[in-house]
Amino acid sequence: MTYTVVQWATGAVGKTCLRAVLDHPGLELAGLYVYSGRKAGQDAGTIARYPETGIIATRDIDEILALDADVVIHTARLQLPYEQHDQDLCALLRSGKNVITTAGHHYPAAHGPARLAMFDEAGRVGGATLYGTGMNPGYVLERLVLGLTGVCTDVQRIEVTELLNAATMPDPDFVFTVMGMGSAPARLDLRAGPLAVLFGKLYAEAITFVADRMHVPLEEIQPDHTVRAAERDLEVSAGRIPAGTVAATEWRWHAISAGRRFLTLSVIWTMDPELDGYAGRNHWTVDIEGRPDLHLSLDMSDPPGTGLRTKAGQYVTAGAVINAIPAVVAAPPGVFTPPVFAPFARP
Ligand SMILES: NC(=O)c1ccc[n+]([C@@H]2O[C@H](COP(=O)([O-])OP(=O)(O)OC[C@H]3O[C@@H](n4cnc5c(N)ncnc54)[C@H](OP(=O)(O)O)[C@@H]3O)[C@@H](O)[C@H]2O)c1
């Protein structure tokens, strides 16, 4: 069976998905939506640095809505507010296209029944399904961690840590203004501000999904974010980070159940992977305290010699999208809840 695919946005992840679609014998590109005026009118192959495809990029949403396609791969940039993409996603669903997005929407139910009902209703109208995925959020907690709990006879506590070396991030505006790197530690409050709201909503979905699947009543998600200062002057891709200014942000949430921390998720971005306590650590670590205790450590490497700038983190995100297509297309209309086989669950 061949699935027809529209690619929506061609940033780092979008281009990786686009190439994966063009490479895949079971997928056929049917359309391409871009935000950039420079890319509009270009052949999809040119944007992907592949041979021409005959599919021309458009900025006209109505052109995309009018297409006949099985699925839209939506890899738009997360925007403020978090709900910024709702209108486009609902329009795509109502037009009869299944949507797999990497821009949030991993578990809309985490934000209450009204938000879930909105996407379910759009899906019902178009007979289409919405699925938000990626590596984290999307895979690490929702599939790896939940899967691991399935070999425990008891789970008391889960700790998941992501450690991302952000020193190669090229965009100074994102690194210094959005992430707050290079600012005075006392002046960067990770509990307030736009990024805190965005991240809080995004990761609450993954955390709530885990708690719901394990039948763990979630009382509260407590933010516990901190920053680390540079121990030396740093030269990174985006510019200079003087010693004493922010070199790492540690985003951390504790899921509270029965008055104690049941799950802790840390997402650490560092401009200095050698900072005390970071060196030698893998990209993700999972520690499950229970019967038995389990420890998982996962890393990834950039594939050599592709001639592309695509990083391992973009491949894993695209992989989670591409491999979900048959299940999402086959799923009933509404928000897709990915299957989890036999996690540990409280009775
Ligand atoms: N869950 C995960 O593990 C995971 C991992 C990585 C990324 N992500 C998510 O995947 C998405 C894509 O990431 P990325 O690394 O590809 O980002 P990116 O390189 O910044 O590219 C995002 C693309 O969004 C489009 N864009 C431009 N202006 C926009 C606007 N105002 N609103 C929405 N989109 C706009 C552009 O598309 P055109 O260039 O086509 O015009 C841009 O290239 C993001 O939402 C990111 O948070 C998730």
Side-chain angles (χ1 to χ4, degrees):
M1 174 162 182
T2 299
Y3 298 95
T4 48
V5 181
V6 171
Q7 177 61 43
W8 183 290
T10 54
V13 170
K15 269 195 265 210
T16 314
C17 290
L18 176 59
R19 289 187 199 108
V21 170
L22 295 173
D23 287 341
H24 200 298
L27 302 175
E28 185 185 316
L29 188 68
L32 178 61
Y33 181 83
V34 291
Y35 290 82
S36 143
R38 190 177 49 78
K39 290 180 181 173
Q42 288 191 20
D43 189 281
T46 310
I47 293 171
R49 293 202 232 153
Y50 269 26
E52 294 216 338
T53 62
I55 301 294
I56 305 299
T58 181
R59 292 175 76 193
D60 184 344
I61 293 180
D62 290 334
E63 266 184 45
I64 298 291
L65 294 178
L67 287 173
D68 190 15
D70 293 314
V71 62
V72 177
I73 297 178
H74 176 271
T75 55
R77 194 172 293 149
L78 271 174
Q79 292 288 313
L80 281 165
Y82 181 65
E83 297 75 15
Q84 178 82 244
H85 295 304
D86 289 3
Q87 203 181 334
D88 289 343
L89 295 174
C90 286
L92 288 167
L93 291 170
R94 281 195 296 268
S95 79
K97 285 176 265 303
N98 300 291
V99 180
I100 304 178
T101 180
T102 58
H105 306 85
H106 303 271
Y107 193 48
H111 305 302
R115 190 160 172 75
L116 175 63
M118 178 180 71
F119 293 116
D120 273 344
E121 172 62 12
R124 196 191 54 71
V125 170
T129 305
L130 172 67
Y131 178 42
T133 191
M135 189 61 174
N136 183 31
Y139 202 92
V140 172
L141 282 168
E142 294 90 328
R143 300 183 79 76
L144 271 183
V145 172
L146 273 178
L148 262 187
T149 66
V151 294
C152 295
T153 63
D154 183 38
V155 173
Q156 288 297 318
R157 186 173 147 66
I158 300 171
E159 178 130 13
V160 179
T161 303
E162 174 174 312
L163 183 69
L164 174 74
N165 177 2
T168 54
M169 284 186 177
D171 182 356
D173 185 47
F174 185 74
V175 166
F176 297 114
T177 311
V178 180
M179 291 168 70
M181 300 294 176
S183 51
R187 289 182 53 198
L188 185 65
D189 181 2
L190 297 186
R191 267 172 300 185
L195 200 56
V197 175
L198 191 71
F199 271 23
K201 290 191 175 181
L202 180 67
Y203 286 102
E205 299 192 3
I207 290 168
T208 309
F209 183 81
V210 171
D212 284 359
R213 287 297 161 276
M214 295 181 71
H215 303 171
V216 171
L218 195 55
E219 283 152 21
E220 187 191 352
I221 297 176
Q222 289 177 348
D224 180 17
H225 314 312
T226 54
V227 300
R228 298 276 309 274
E231 290 160 356
R232 56 197 167 98
D233 289 344
L234 300 171
E235 295 295 339
V236 294
S237 298
R240 189 166 173 276
I241 297 182
T245 65
V246 173
T249 49
E250 298 194 354
W251 299 89
R252 186 168 291 111
W253 297 269
H254 305 292
I256 307 297
S257 182
R260 60 181 199 85
R261 294 174 178 176
F262 174 72
L263 189 159
T264 294
L265 170 66
S266 303
V267 178
I268 301 172
W269 287 356
T270 182
M271 291 291 158
D272 183 3
E274 300 303 318
L275 265 181
D276 193 27
Y278 293 169
R281 283 168 58 172
N282 275 345
H283 203 113
W284 290 280
T285 48
V286 177
D287 293 286
I288 296 176
E289 197 181 304
R291 289 191 192 147
D293 291 350
L294 296 175
H295 314 285
L296 175 78
S297 189
L298 177 67
D299 216 345
M300 54 186 178
S301 315
D302 298 335
T306 60
L308 301 164
R309 275 176 299 182
T310 313
K311 301 278 178 207
Q314 288 140 12
Y315 283 111
V316 292
T317 309
V321 169
I322 299 291
N323 294 315
I325 290 175
V328 172
V329 172
V335 173
F336 180 64
T337 308
V340 180
F341 179 69
F344 172 80
R346 303 221 178 274

